[in-house]
Amino acid sequence: MYSFKNDYSEGAHPRILKALMKTNFEQEAGYGEDRYSQQAVELLKNRLGRNDVDIHLLSGGTQTNLTAISSFLKPHEAAIAAETGHIFTHETGAIEATGHKVVAMKTADGKLTPAHIQQILDGHPDEHMVKPKLVYISESTEIGSVYHKRELEELSVFCKEHDLLLYMDGARLGSALCADGSDLRLEEIPDLVDAFYIGGTKNGALLGEALVICNDVLKADFRYLMKQRGALLAKGRLIGIQFVELFRDNLFFELAMQANQKAALLREGISEAGFEFLTDSPTNQIFPIFPNALIAELEKKYAFLVWEKVDGGHSAIRLVTSWAAKEDMVRAFIADVKTNRVPGKA
Amino acid sequence: MYSFKNDYSEGAHPRILKALMKTNFEQEAGYGEDRYSQQAVELLKNRLGRNDVDIHLLSGGTQTNLTAISSFLKPHEAAIAAETGHIFTHETGAIEATGHKVVAMKTADGKLTPAHIQQILDGHPDEHMVKPKLVYISESTEIGSVYHKRELEELSVFCKEHDLLLYMDGARLGSALCADGSDLRLEEIPDLVDAFYIGGTKNGALLGEALVICNDVLKADFRYLMKQRGALLAKGRLIGIQFVELFRDNLFFELAMQANQKAALLREGISEAGFEFLTDSPTNQIFPIFPNALIAELEKKYAFLVWEKVDGGHSAIRLVTSWAAKEDMVRAFIADVKTNRVPGKA
Amino acid sequence: MYSFKNDYSEGAHPRILKALMKTNFEQEAGYGEDRYSQQAVELLKNRLGRNDVDIHLLSGGTQTNLTAISSFLKPHEAAIAAETGHIFTHETGAIEATGHKVVAMKTADGKLTPAHIQQILDGHPDEHMVKPKLVYISESTEIGSVYHKRELEELSVFCKEHDLLLYMDGARLGSALCADGSDLRLEEIPDLVDAFYIGGTKNGALLGEALVICNDVLKADFRYLMKQRGALLAKGRLIGIQFVELFRDNLFFELAMQANQKAALLREGISEAGFEFLTDSPTNQIFPIFPNALIAELEKKYAFLVWEKVDGGHSAIRLVTSWAAKEDMVRAFIADVKTNRVPGKA
Amino acid sequence: MYSFKNDYSEGAHPRILKALMKTNFEQEAGYGEDRYSQQAVELLKNRLGRNDVDIHLLSGGTQTNLTAISSFLKPHEAAIAAETGHIFTHETGAIEATGHKVVAMKTADGKLTPAHIQQILDGHPDEHMVKPKLVYISESTEIGSVYHKRELEELSVFCKEHDLLLYMDGARLGSALCADGSDLRLEEIPDLVDAFYIGGTKNGALLGEALVICNDVLKADFRYLMKQRGALLAKGRLIGIQFVELFRDNLFFELAMQANQKAALLREGISEAGFEFLTDSPTNQIFPIFPNALIAELEKKYAFLVWEKVDGGHSAIRLVTSWAAKEDMVRAFIADVKTNRVPGKA
């Protein structure tokens, strides 16, 4: 059974394991104060062209989101998210567990616009409601779409005008930046958002996300928050070494590109076979709509998520590719789609 | 500069890295539902001789403590700890951040007794105070001492009689179990406590603690709590593989023994040189009392923590050894102690 | 300017003030352990015909909701509410501030049905999402509607079958019970819900809500929670005396009936004048739809809330009556509606 | 049985009840936006001689402490208190329930000094511990002592120098200000602390505390916090009217003086009878040390708290007087002490 279920089915890129091997017996300081974590931070700052940001290395997406958001907000302040936003749907109330409401808005494509946010602000006029303060977006989104540079700029301007913080969940930022048609570059992000994170777990690392705090007001004492939330690893070197490996050259981007290419192959093959998609995704998650009988057939050989029912006879499935996805399995999947489709009916 | 600062200065035991290498391209389920995590749980259950416990793999000690304790307690219930207890002093209020007070008690040796707990219960008679509900102990303690089996049995009986939960922080459980004079065996612990964890990070792993929930009442829905607190790794295999390696034979115990042996060497050498210790520790943390001048001399070549002032001219330092501590550096340290002591004066 | 803005514009029913006067110099125990609070609890138990419930007196609705719900839920458990539910919209994230998500569902009339709840359960299958555990309903609802007995019975059965708690916010329970067409009696509620509160503040008291905990599992240690959330008044007698006065005879119901009668008068007059209503409310909150010009006219003499825009030219307003609402002002309002409507156009 | 158990055994000063009567049928805005609450705030600002402070009216001490402190602190920041401090001992972990640790320090007399605080700062050097940020003091303290002006000035300077907030719990501020030998005046407090509250509940009101926020940085959005914590009363007028009555002339101070005078009578009589006191208290709480036999005798006629054992045969009791304490009962108590003491032995 080959899995397209997610982009964390395999371990790490081999270079990362090699680096762990090589450095294993060096004595390093604990809790992220080791030389590798420091080097990773330096490499990231250089890549961003910004020496004035603060960068912290955490273990996973939920941990990063809850630690950052609970650090940035006062008790009565809320986060705004798309209804598909990861913090709203898939983090077991992690943000609420730190005391903050997440106010969600239905969107067509997983992306928030100034109009969405304005509507939420209008509905929260006084102290009898929470005060929306932080706008949470994901790049790429949970349904594969990407914010283009201009959309981000508009959000950024709107947030500044309305004294809102803009926070970007970059669990799949690599895939977004390397997506076909994406016009956003990594080094442009710090000017647009107050904080964001660069996801390692889903792009080559065993675990690890690099949180970048751009807004000076949010920087103070962040390591206290990390420790308090259980996010400071004794052997912080583990994440440091991985980010050094991902960013000492272009490995991070190459891996994202590989993931996207496999997804593109799938997309083209499925499209060629005559099927539509639930969303227009240029990233490493795609959502083809298949007849249920075809899905049943595919499930015999492949693991994937059935995302949602489209109508009585069709459903959308989610296919995710990582850098480690095998091209031959991608081609086999397409062949099986073509073989099993009912002629004349998609 | 050689470091005796802690037992997490190096990476992992080489066998662990090898196992990560070997399994790297296998596709596994996410979030701890992979085959290695399941195998680790089975190995641990076998080792404990208990099939009825629940076992969960988490990343670090603070994370494990806060996730478990906040899962076990209702909002008005508090934890009891020694004043030296890790949750009271060194976790940045992680337990309080989940809403629970930690009530602390001064102890001579870092160990709680029924008498200590009774005193706290006496001081909390009604709803105007928190309700003490969980007794937090560390094995070994933060100052190197160990609970002997009889002491644990007394605590266990007392807690059951008073409807208290007994929770054991086992960040250094390996060292405690393998300590000279320790009469406690791993498989005896589930009968004595409601929950405890077996520390991997400080005993051979890159990261990882295995939480064992023994009390049925505490088991329900624990994975929800893990997800909510950011403790469910996407690539949960990372911890699973490590615990398989530590427990598929006796590696876990062998590493603990190696750590203790280095500490014992240090203890004997320092003792021979005529110095006393702050606490009587048979584990991998020892606290010799040195003249400040000697400390200054040692600091030129070794990294360690100055633990506390003893009098105007003397302080206690903390020396920690891990399985990876080098014997020649241990001997060099002892030699330096002997060379630099002022003759006739300790 | 006469106000129909809410049902807490005036003080207390005069009998309550008289009772405060009369008992003023008696020495009573603090924190709700006084004789009047105990007598109030007894009177309420008698009225409910249930000696096995626990009853606690708190100050206000938000305080009661947050104290109860945070006591009843574990950290990963969530409340389900209608999108109009008070805890979802008008309590500044009070429930989230105690760590719990409120999952909301769009409804036509402010009332939840088993179908709504089933839909939410279907969307929360595993530990990556919160676990819905408590169903929050308001009787009467925030838009004036009432649950009929049969609807409550269906909810109750559904909740028991799905291991969900059913909690009723009774801020305006008096008005609901005394509504035209309501077939629910106070003494039937404890069989149907796990906990509910009987609102005093909006029905004759200066402040005070009586929380009734029916489910044995939820009873333990509730006074600890009250103290911890700041809900235990030093002079608890203040609420006790008021509930004694409201329930030593039928005052509570008489006041609710008076409030409803004034609302009925308004409803009939407005209906007669040819206007429709946003919701079909038999309680003390009504929502007539008026042309904006008429609203502007009425705002010169009356205070009320403009609830929502209906179309370009019309809006719904909220009119609330309490026991203290003056009948002559009600009639004046109707007359002004009739005078100012544009002939031939509603 | 006459009670000296506390200063909230009786209702309110009669003038307050009269004012509630008189204003009862006036329609007022809800949630503290009524004219009486506004008038109370104005009266208090005038009395303080400070138009630039923010003043909010809340129901009780625990509620005020938890709402204020959780508003002022970030998640990793802690409060410092004396071990006798109300938030440390008698609020059921209310502060911890909002996520913040309270770090406590043993004191001789319930009062914190710069030296105490420095010691706590020294023990919290980095992100592995909470960051002490707010110093909580009570005036008068929980054991009856008062801070003199100079002591407060020293604390104030120290806190400013160390970037700490100074917060004063004034549950019994009236008694402290009117104590024999006190050189502090109400209007001097805003210059010395960042926030404090003026207690009404224990000095003439049915309920009510006036929180004064002096530090501009702490003012924003406080009403959001009040609503979120359940501290915004629908009929906020209830507290407003009471503070108007207490501060439209000198009633607040007169009542405090009456309370102190009764305590002074007790103190002198008990002293005359040859007994010592646990603490030197010039306020309305005193702690005489009696032989246990005498205590047993007194308990037949009077209610009071046995505070702590002093030695095998003696204990300290707590006697509290309010403005409503009856002088004849005070004299009766003294007479009973004198009658029942064992001649020649105190």
Side-chain angles (χ1 to χ4, degrees), chain C residues 278-299:
Chain C
L278 188 69
T279 72
D280 180 28
S281 161
T283 59
N284 72 326
Q285 301 191 89
I286 62 170
F287 301 80
I289 299 169
F290 286 151
N292 294 338
L294 173 53
I295 292 171
E297 212 51 49
L298 291 168
E299 279 176 329

Side-chain angles (χ1 to χ4, degrees), chain D residues 121-135:
Chain D
L121 295 181
D122 290 345
H124 291 79
D126 64 34
E127 70 264 28
H128 295 273
M129 292 119 197
V130 291
K131 185 172 183 175
K133 178 67 185 177
L134 179 145
V135 175

Side-chain angles (χ1 to χ4, degrees), chain A residues 69-71 73-79 95-102, chain C residues 93 96-97 99, chain D residues 75 228:
Chain A
I69 293 175
S70 72
S71 172
L73 297 184
K74 292 180 198 156
H76 63 294
E77 294 176 341
I95 304 304
E96 289 87 354
T98 67
H100 302 282
K101 182 165 183 157
V102 181
Chain C
E96 289 87 353
Chain D
Q228 187 181 69

Side-chain angles (χ1 to χ4, degrees), chain B residues 85-280:
Chain B
H86 207 256
I87 58 167
F88 188 67
T89 58
H90 278 82
E91 301 191 353
T92 319
I95 304 304
E96 289 87 352
T98 68
H100 302 282
K101 181 163 183 157
V102 181
V103 182
M105 178 53 88
K106 201 170 205 70
T107 67
D109 54 4
K111 298 196 286 181
L112 287 175
T113 63
H116 289 128
I117 302 170
Q118 185 61 57
Q119 198 178 330
I120 285 176
L121 295 181
D122 290 345
H124 291 79
D126 64 35
E127 70 264 26
H128 295 273
M129 292 118 197
V130 291
K131 185 172 183 174
K133 177 70 186 174
L134 180 147
V135 174
Y136 167 95
I137 58 174
S138 308
E139 177 75 329
S140 62
T141 72
E142 295 75 7
I143 52 175
S145 53
V146 297
Y147 285 90
H148 292 286
K149 194 179 162 184
R150 183 169 176 170
E151 293 169 320
L152 276 180
E153 284 169 346
E154 285 168 4
L155 271 180
S156 185
V157 166
F158 183 89
C159 286
K160 282 192 183 100
E161 282 172 4
H162 293 80
D163 197 23
L164 296 168
L165 301 169
L166 184 55
Y167 173 84
M168 180 190 279
D169 181 326
R172 293 189 175 96
L173 184 58
S175 177
L177 292 171
C178 299
D180 247 21
S182 168
D183 58 354
L184 181 70
R185 286 178 306 139
L186 180 58
E187 58 269 36
E188 294 169 336
I189 301 177
D191 282 338
L192 297 172
V193 305
D194 295 282
F196 70 107
Y197 79 82
I198 302 170
T201 307
K202 292 169 180 167
N203 196 34
L206 284 168
L207 86 173
E209 324 292 324
L211 177 70
V212 183
I213 308 183
C214 315
N215 182 336
D216 286 345
V217 170
L218 307 178
K219 290 175 180 170
D221 291 347
F222 193 76
R223 280 175 58 82
Y224 282 85
L225 265 290
M226 289 175 65
K227 176 72 182 186
Q228 187 181 69
R229 304 303 188 190
L232 221 49
L233 293 185
K235 296 181 181 172
R237 66 196 287 158
L238 170 59
I239 309 183
I241 290 163
Q242 296 186 82
F243 270 93
V244 167
E245 215 47 49
L246 289 171
F247 281 93
R248 70 175 169 83
D249 53 18
N250 282 317
L251 183 59
F252 179 80
F253 298 96
E254 288 164 13
L255 297 181
M257 224 130 26
Q258 289 172 27
N260 285 354
Q261 283 160 358
K262 314 284 171 47
L265 264 182
L266 276 173
R267 196 166 43 242
E268 288 156 27
I270 290 166
S271 204
E272 238 176 63
F275 296 101
E276 304 286 323
F277 294 82
L278 188 69
T279 71
D280 179 29

